[in-house]
Structure formats: C-alpha cells, structure tokens
Amino acid sequence: MKPSKLMHIASIIVGFVGVTVFTGAILGGSDNLVFGITKTDALQCAAILILIAIWVQIATIHHMMLEKKGEII
C-alpha cells in the first residue's frame, strides 16, 4: 500500500477521534468531566487532534504529488 494511502487513513482516524472528543466535551454533563478529564482539557485535546489531522492531510497531499513524479519516499 502506498504511504499516501496509509497517511490518509491515519488522518481520517485522528480527525474522527478529535471530532468525537469535541462533541463529548460540548455535550458533556454538568459535572465538568468528560472521559475522566475536565472539559477545558478535553477541548484542548480535541483542538490538538484536529490540528494533527489537518497537518497529516497536508503531508498526504505532498506525498501524492511526489508519487505522481515518481519520487516515492
């Protein structure tokens, strides 16, 4: 399997986890705990996960361009 395909799959998984954590933090209960941590920490984790997913997707696009040129890394 091409590296770009694996990176794309990883980006989707990380993005989905980030969106799930964000949704859990927003819809969490009134006790200010989400997945055993505070809502603030959960929102920060969600933001970092979404940024990681975006960065991996940019890297995937870069690798796809290199694969088109025949410069597989």
Side-chain angles (χ1 to χ4, degrees):
M1 186 177 269
K2 292 182 180 180
S4 62
K5 298 275 185 194
L6 294 173
M7 292 169 66
H8 181 68
I9 292 169
S11 174
I12 290 172
I13 292 169
V14 171
F16 182 71
V17 170
V19 169
T20 303
V21 171
F22 178 76
T23 305
I26 295 298
L27 300 175
S30 62
D31 61 351
N32 255 357
L33 290 178
V34 180
F35 306 120
I37 58 175
T38 63
K39 276 189 178 184
T40 304
D41 291 337
L43 286 171
Q44 290 172 350
C45 289
I48 290 170
L49 286 169
I50 291 170
L51 288 174
I52 289 171
I54 292 169
W55 186 255
V56 172
Q57 196 65 3
I58 291 170
T60 301
I61 293 169
H62 175 70
H63 275 268
M64 288 173 64
M65 291 171 53
L66 289 177
E67 287 171 358
K68 282 184 184 177
K69 293 181 181 178
E71 302 173 8
I72 298 175
I73 295 176

